Amino acid sequence: MEAVRSQRSFASPDVVLPTLPFYRSAPALEVRLEDFELYAIDRLRVLKGISDGLSRGKKPDEMEKSVNELWKSHMRHPQASEVVNKDIISHFVLRLVYCRTEELRRWFLSMETTLFRYRFLFETPEAQRALMAEFHIPYKIVSSGEYENVKDKLVQVARSLGQSLSGADSVFYKVPFEEVPELVACRRVFIQKGHAYVAMSQVVSLVVTQFRSLLSKALVLTNRKWTSMIREQEKDRLTPIVESLSSSYLGPDYSQPKELTDVSLKDIDQVARSSFPLCMHYLFEKLKEDHHLKHGGRMQLGLFLKGVGLKLDDALAFWKAEFSRKVGAERFDKEYAYGIRHNYGKEGKRTDYTPYSCQKIISSTPGVGDHHGCPYRHFSEENLRAALGKMGVGNRALEDVIDKVRHRHYQLACTLTFEAVHNTSCDAGINHPNQYFNDSRKVLESRNNSDGA
Amino acid sequence: MPREDVENGREDMLIDGSEAKQQKQKNAVPDVFNAHYLKVYYGKLFPHADMFRWLSYANDGRHPGCDDSYFGRREFSFTLDNDIYLRFQSFKTAAELESSIREKVPFKIDIGPVYSVDPSKRHAYAQSGDNVFTPVERELIFDIDISDYDDVRFCCSGADVCLDCWPLMTIAIKVIDTALRDDFGFSHILWVYSGRRGVHCWVCDGKARRLNNEQRAAIADYFRVYKGNENSQKKVSLVGPALHPFLVRSYTEVLKKFFEEKLLSSQNLFSDAIKYETILEMIPEESITSELRGRWADSRSTKDVNVVRWEQLKHQLQSGKQKGQGLRRCVEEIVFSFTYPRLDMEVSKHMNHLLKAPFCIHPKTGRVCVPIDPNHCEEFDPTTVPTLSQLLEELNAEGSRMEVDNEWDKTSLGESIRYFRSSFLQPLLRSCKEEIESSYSAKIQQSKNTLAW
């Protein structure tokens, strides 16, 4: 077997690889084709597990545990010396798989960064410091004089996070706030005149930001290399593996409706009642009630309807029928029709947009006047109970759903709802509103057929 | 007569103008908005040159370090009379910008980002396949609409505003402006009245213009307290044993004062059961709410009932016998719910969002989008902002004069333009020049060093 990607740069031989690599350059290793694929699939299982955890809204400590378990169960290797190689090889294979579209890159970047974050946290403080040095993180520790000046504020921030600031925690790095966006976003740092005061326990954010930006750039470069040479050079060997890897595991993206589910305008009310998941059914009802939805709602419902099989012309007619009652037909044509054509790839960038997945919907942040988002996550318990009751979820099932919600298993709650409404089991779970819809149609269709027979 | 023969249409105005003083009552410009008035406005009053100087950021060709293509890569978009929407307009010079505005007479001018290449030639670049057409710089912007506060204001709804609810915008300006300066260290900040129902904010520091989307989102999230959508009970949830220093400062310096001194009475927050019930719903302790309800059933009082009841509520929640941290926090939560700024997050999060240019005229109200001085924002009164017709009347009243350059100086627009220049533009350009100078000398130094090798 020859070295895969022998055309790439070689890492210099005297570099000792740390347990947590930065994946700066592709490894100079010989890889058997079977391993190439198997390693990648193992890593994909880890990333998929992370993705599921995030979409369930797991808290950081739960994520930490789950990432640790995922890594241990999938990324081990009988030969100790191979463990690091497996890590590096699988990462670079998946880079090839996930470099090819914006959407794939975004998913991969997000999952790999999350993985990196938790693996960094597993390291000992010494190893963490070594990693920081290797990343050339140039920030200085706040001097004791300066520390005294801002101590009150730092104590206040620590208290707001439910922590106390003991003497041992008085090591702070002062960094431009741009370097720690996630700490800024959650108000987990004190910020003054453009500088964030980052506690030693938060430095992971600094490292993660660096990691993310390196990987983001690398993915764009890999994409260029892929389209300009690798795909062609490897067309008999790696290309088929790479292409099958992304499609075999990711599941469908529901951007192209299945023939089975073609829906026309006249059926839509009936179909909405029988087969829409709560998030969509609720938006649909609100639209009928208010004859209006704000942007987030239009996107969430509009793309879902596209995935359901509503043709562009029907979609325009559907939205117009509602909106024109509130804003008039003329304003609809001027202000809203563009957005609908845009969703169908007929305007602007002309991208054929994909319907939102559960993960995206759960992590959205609806504000005043918004009706989108995941009802299991964003409704108060009282409102959720009322909504489920209206859908016909019986008392016992309802308590089970609420129980899942309390544990922040929103997709499981949706799955239970599906099972209660359709009186059937749904072993695969619900990952996508369009999957809910398709599965529902399948169940109802087979029931109709057997009734007719 | 000066130049009135240069352009058709001007002649009439000036003839009117010379007689305006005698006939002011009869010949007053009707209080409507139309393309003819707008043409005069763009011809005589709109500060084209100032807009150009602003958006050039000192890239005026006077320094060898200037980027001559800078202004030409900025996207403008025009909304014309008949709702034709022209995106991706770009101009190389001040003269080009001015003549295009005068010729097209846009009802609305939007300002977009600076792209990597001239946006009007983006298709030519798209041919090359590489994704080179991308936004590279954009002011950090904020958009606050009073219609997003409809659940906490009872004087107006939707697009209407009055002096009773406008303080909500004053609060927003104070809270955000202070944080942008003190926390994030920005200094070139322009606040603009949006012409009808809100305010816009442009943060123009070089550092702000170069933020990526993730960093923009982080700042927007830093400001976000309001999390409720239409289906959650509490709109504001302040968790943790203490508040972040930014929230403490906002609360003690702005929110509390405005709530107690203005909104409490102007919005009659406790005057009737329907209103105070929504407030009581935010208190999770049944015994307290029922006691307050009992006391409030009898509405005889000589003093302002809102103040009396608010004091009673505070006393109940903060008295010694309430041990729970959560109940004390309720007072703050109520104040935050009714006062804290509500941003349109999407506008701030992405570089490629368009925002209406200052000094446009709002077609519905005819009012000019004038800058607001954050240091005196309490004095700003949206109902006395100059309107298009008022400006034309003032212009007419002045009659024809020899000098045509600074015609705005004689109108009530003068003050706004003087403020724009002296408080925003001049300091901005000074620091832009310094930045260009220092990055240029750094570059020179660097090339010297390379030569020395």
Side-chain angles (χ1 to χ4, degrees):
Chain A
M1 273 279 152
E2 56 189 304
V4 174
R5 260 177 275 111
S6 53
Q7 69 273 24
R8 290 269 194 110
S9 60
F10 286 75
S12 54
D14 55 315
V15 169
V16 182
L17 291 165
T19 44
L20 178 53
F22 290 130
Y23 315 106
R24 279 197 207 274
S25 53
L29 297 165
E30 296 199 351
V31 187
R32 294 185 311 150
L33 266 184
E34 301 92 275
D35 290 345
F36 183 90
E37 190 167 1
L38 287 176
Y39 288 0
I41 288 176
D42 279 342
R43 191 180 193 90
L44 207 43
R45 292 203 171 103
V46 175
L47 299 185
K48 192 77 175 44
I50 292 174
S51 166
D52 288 347
L54 291 176
S55 63
R56 275 185 197 162
K58 280 195 180 168
K59 282 187 171 173
D61 52 324
E62 294 167 316
M63 279 305 287
E64 190 171 334
K65 204 170 140 227
S66 124
V67 170
N68 197 7
E69 278 161 13
L70 284 165
W71 188 259
K72 274 191 191 145
S73 58
H74 297 296
M75 295 302 286
R76 268 193 307 224
H77 195 279
Q79 281 166 272
S81 62
E82 273 296 294
V83 173
V84 174
N85 289 346
K86 181 174 177 181
D87 179 7
I88 294 175
I89 290 162
S90 62
H91 172 87
F92 276 97
V93 176
L94 290 188
R95 262 196 204 182
L96 281 181
V97 176
Y98 284 89
C99 73
R100 295 170 305 144
T101 69
E102 175 71 35
E103 191 119 343
L104 291 175
R105 285 196 293 272
R106 205 180 311 136
W107 185 84
F108 182 69
L109 186 59
S110 162
M111 297 315 140
E112 278 284 339
T113 307
T114 310
L115 175 62
F116 184 87
R117 163 192 304 277
Y118 290 106
R119 290 182 65 202
F120 183 85
L121 291 172
F122 300 145
E123 300 283 342
T124 61
E126 294 77 46
Q128 287 184 351
R129 238 166 274 156
L131 284 163
M132 281 181 70
E134 202 189 326
F135 250 137
H136 305 296
I137 287 176
Y139 308 115
K140 291 230 170 70
I141 291 174
V142 174
S143 71
S144 60
E146 192 180 352
Y147 173 75
E148 287 305 320
N149 282 337
V150 294
K151 191 177 171 191
D152 288 352
K153 306 285 185 195
L154 298 177
V155 169
Q156 178 81 15
V157 174
R159 281 185 55 216
S160 78
L161 300 172
Q163 300 155 354
S164 62
L165 203 59
S166 64
D169 303 326
S170 64
V171 176
F172 280 84
Y173 289 85
K174 189 174 168 181
V175 306
F177 77 86
E178 295 97 320
E179 298 290 321
V180 284
E182 50 175 35
L183 296 178
V184 172
C186 309
R187 292 191 292 264
R188 300 177 71 85
V189 279
F190 173 59
I191 312 176
Q192 190 173 47
K193 289 285 170 206
H195 290 282
Y197 289 77
V198 178
M200 191 60 209
S201 59
Q202 295 173 322
V203 291
V204 60
S205 293
L206 283 172
V207 186
V208 163
T209 305
Q210 293 274 339
F211 177 82
R212 194 187 162 91
S213 92
L214 284 177
L215 182 56
S216 173
K217 280 176 205 142
L219 280 171
V220 173
L221 282 178
T222 312
N223 180 36
R224 269 190 215 148
K225 278 192 200 156
W226 169 261
T227 40
S228 64
M229 35 186 258
I230 305 174
R231 180 170 54 193
E232 186 54 30
Q233 278 175 0
E234 296 285 347
K235 70 173 189 292
D236 300 323
R237 208 172 53 138
L238 299 185
T239 303
I241 300 179
V242 164
E243 286 180 344
S244 75
L245 266 174
S246 67
S247 59
S248 67
Y249 209 84
L250 257 190
D253 66 6
Y254 301 100
S255 63
Q256 299 301 327
K258 294 185 185 161
E259 283 159 44
L260 169 78
T261 65
D262 236 15
V263 162
S264 72
L265 204 50
K266 63 177 169 39
D267 306 327
I268 198 153
D269 283 314
Q270 187 265 321
V271 167
R273 232 172 298 126
S274 64
S275 297
F276 280 16
L278 180 55
C279 54
M280 300 301 171
H281 188 243
Y282 175 68
L283 282 172
F284 189 82
E285 296 274 287
K286 271 291 155 195
L287 174 65
K288 296 266 165 182
E289 202 176 303
D290 300 346
H291 314 298
H292 190 268
L293 282 178
K294 291 181 83 170
H295 176 78
R298 296 200 298 273
M299 291 298 287
Q300 184 173 316
L301 180 61
L303 289 170
F304 169 78
L305 290 175
K306 183 173 94 167
V308 156
L310 196 64
K311 298 274 187 305
L312 174 59
D313 287 342
D314 283 346
L316 283 167
F318 168 76
W319 289 98
K320 188 169 183 169
E322 293 305 326
F323 270 59
S324 55
R325 294 174 61 183
K326 167 113 179 204
V327 301
E330 200 187 340
R331 239 188 97 194
F332 175 83
D333 290 339
K334 280 190 307 215
E335 289 174 31
Y336 299 100
Y338 178 92
I340 292 157
R341 287 196 299 272
H342 194 266
N343 282 351
Y344 281 75
K346 303 294 181 209
E347 296 280 3
K349 265 203 299 187
R350 297 187 179 263
T351 312
D352 204 358
Y353 290 92
T354 50
Y356 290 175
S357 65
C358 288
Q359 194 195 343
K360 181 159 181 148
I361 292 172
I362 290 171
S363 55
S364 68
T365 49
V368 208
D370 275 333
H371 297 288
H372 67 280
C374 172
Y376 302 98
R377 164 133 200 219
H378 297 112
F379 278 23
S380 70
E381 190 177 311
E382 201 177 316
N383 287 336
L384 182 59
R385 280 176 187 276
L388 289 169
K390 253 171 79 183
M391 268 183 107
V393 178
N395 271 343
R396 265 206 38 217
L398 205 149
E399 292 310 319
D400 290 345
V401 172
I402 296 289
D403 183 62
K404 292 290 175 214
V405 168
R406 285 195 186 128
H407 291 91
R408 295 188 307 281
H409 296 307
Y410 308 116
Q411 287 173 253
L412 293 181
C414 190
T415 309
L416 289 181
T417 308
F418 180 94
E419 291 178 344
V421 170
H422 295 84
N423 204 8
T424 176
S425 72
C426 172
D427 298 330
I430 300 296
N431 293 305
H432 198 295
N434 289 86
Q435 176 218 344
Y436 183 109
F437 177 81
N438 291 347
D439 288 358
S440 166
R441 297 309 292 163
K442 262 182 244 160
V443 171
L444 298 177
E445 207 119 313
S446 70
R447 220 166 269 169
N448 279 347
N449 290 344
S450 57
D451 285 353
Chain B
M1 282 279 187
R3 279 204 224 150
E4 75 274 27
D5 52 338
V6 178
E7 257 183 65
N8 294 332
R10 273 194 179 190
E11 206 168 358
D12 309 343
M13 289 310 305
L14 286 178
I15 289 168
D16 272 358
S18 58
E19 295 161 350
K21 271 184 183 138
Q22 302 94 303
Q23 305 189 356
K24 190 154 188 215
Q25 303 304 320
K26 244 188 341 189
N27 275 8
V29 179
D31 197 21
V32 284
F33 172 91
N34 69 43
H36 294 295
Y37 297 168
L38 198 56
K39 201 172 171 71
V40 178
Y41 175 76
Y42 284 135
K44 285 169 175 276
L45 297 172
F46 186 78
H48 301 274
D50 293 288
M51 296 298 270
F52 178 80
R53 282 186 344 129
W54 165 27
L55 295 171
S56 302
Y57 293 103
N59 287 297
D60 52 7
R62 293 203 194 132
H63 189 283
C66 285
D67 176 354
D68 291 332
S69 74
Y70 187 87
F71 186 82
R73 288 184 281 122
R74 168 80 69 167
E75 175 186 356
F76 289 84
S77 86
F78 292 168
T79 310
L80 304 186
D81 185 358
N82 34 16
D83 273 296
I84 291 174
Y85 195 40
L86 303 175
R87 280 203 63 181
F88 300 117
Q89 308 288 299
S90 67
F91 309 100
K92 287 200 180 53
T93 61
E96 263 186 39
L97 172 72
E98 177 163 357
S99 69
S100 180
I101 293 177
R102 283 171 174 234
E103 181 210 330
K104 298 203 172 82
V105 198
F107 272 35
K108 184 164 150 241
I109 303 170
D110 282 302
I111 300 174
V114 177
Y115 284 95
S116 49
V117 296
D118 180 346
S120 64
K121 299 201 179 76
R122 67 198 182 285
H123 292 305
Y125 290 100
Q127 306 290 311
S128 70
D130 256 345
N131 215 351
V132 287
F133 179 65
T134 175
V136 290
E137 267 195 31
R138 206 272 182 277
E139 294 75 13
L140 173 64
I141 52 178
F142 298 96
D143 179 6
I144 307 162
D145 260 359
I146 201 147
S147 47
D148 283 335
Y149 291 73
D150 277 358
D151 60 322
V152 294
R153 60 185 188 134
F154 306 101
C155 46
C156 313
S157 67
D160 300 327
V161 294
C162 71
L163 291 179
D164 281 338
C165 52
W166 187 258
L168 289 165
M169 294 294 107
T170 312
I171 295 169
I173 295 175
K174 282 173 169 286
V175 168
I176 305 293
D177 192 72
T178 307
L180 288 171
R181 290 174 204 273
D182 294 355
D183 300 0
F184 292 100
F186 297 124
S187 37
H188 303 290
I189 301 169
L190 179 70
W191 288 93
V192 184
Y193 174 51
S194 72
R196 180 155 72 158
R197 56 175 180 188
V199 291
H200 296 160
C201 175
W202 300 77
V203 187
C204 303
D205 300 57
K207 207 171 82 153
R209 283 179 273 137
R210 290 186 289 270
L211 293 170
N212 64 30
N213 284 343
E214 192 193 6
Q215 293 159 339
R216 285 164 203 267
I219 297 175
D221 280 327
Y222 182 80
F223 288 137
R224 190 162 68 106
V225 164
Y226 193 87
K227 296 197 172 160
N229 69 351
E230 293 301 302
N231 270 293
S232 53
Q233 215 123 70
K234 259 193 201 172
K235 306 291 181 193
V236 169
S237 179
L238 304 170
V239 289
L243 293 182
H244 186 277
F246 155 65
L247 297 180
V248 174
R249 184 188 60 211
S250 304
Y251 181 77
T252 53
E253 290 180 7
V254 184
L255 306 182
K256 188 163 182 286
K257 193 179 94 188
F258 269 84
F259 181 82
E260 298 193 332
E261 291 172 15
K262 285 217 189 295
L263 297 165
L264 193 57
S265 302
S266 71
Q267 297 296 331
N268 274 314
L269 296 180
F270 287 87
S271 62
D272 60 69
I274 299 170
K275 284 184 197 163
Y276 69 61
E277 277 303 326
T278 61
I279 296 173
L280 290 179
E281 268 172 31
M282 298 172 68
I283 302 170
E285 182 64 51
E286 191 78 40
S287 65
I288 293 181
T289 53
S290 58
E291 176 165 354
L292 288 172
R293 252 184 223 113
R295 286 220 221 160
W296 296 349
D298 175 20
S299 60
R300 276 170 304 163
S301 172
T302 47
K303 284 204 280 176
D304 183 344
V305 69
N306 297 297
V307 177
V308 172
R309 290 177 175 176
W310 172 243
E311 290 303 324
Q312 287 170 340
L313 180 147
K314 271 203 298 191
H315 181 76
Q316 278 291 323
L317 288 172
Q318 293 172 332
S319 70
K321 55 183 178 182
Q322 302 304 339
K323 290 192 200 78
Q325 187 63 256
L327 284 179
R328 286 157 180 270
R329 189 56 57 72
C330 267
V331 174
E332 286 153 19
E333 281 182 346
I334 292 168
V335 173
F336 271 91
S337 302
F338 282 85
T339 56
Y340 188 82
R342 301 174 180 188
L343 303 177
D344 184 338
M345 302 288 285
E346 293 306 313
V347 173
S348 307
K349 281 182 173 178
H350 302 287
M351 282 180 110
N352 53 4
H353 230 286
L354 295 161
L355 193 66
K356 182 161 58 168
F359 296 108
C360 279
I361 309 276
H362 196 292
K364 292 272 159 49
T365 60
R367 295 197 191 278
V368 188
C369 302
V370 292
I372 301 174
D373 182 351
N375 295 321
H376 298 100
C377 56
E378 283 110 324
E379 294 150 34
F380 181 82
D381 177 353
T383 63
T384 59
V385 169
T387 63
L388 179 56
S389 51
Q390 179 194 340
L391 291 175
L392 295 199
E393 265 175 58
E394 288 167 0
L395 212 54
N396 286 353
E398 276 299 317
S400 55
R401 288 261 186 99
M402 286 311 283
E403 72 270 51
V404 284
D405 261 358
N406 286 346
E407 295 214 49
W408 49 263
D409 206 25
K410 298 166 235 143
T411 69
S412 37
L413 196 59
E415 196 189 335
S416 296
I417 293 183
R418 278 191 295 275
Y419 166 79
F420 182 80
R421 286 186 180 173
S422 64
S423 299
F424 171 69
L425 198 52
Q426 282 161 13
L428 171 70
L429 296 182
R430 209 177 304 130
S431 72
C432 287
K433 278 184 192 137
E434 281 163 18
E435 203 178 294
I436 288 174
E437 174 63 40
S438 70
S439 77
Y440 181 72
S441 47
K443 221 188 278 169
I444 298 285
Q445 194 58 43
Q446 205 181 1
S447 64
K448 269 189 196 150
N449 290 347
T450 9
L451 283 178
W453 269 33

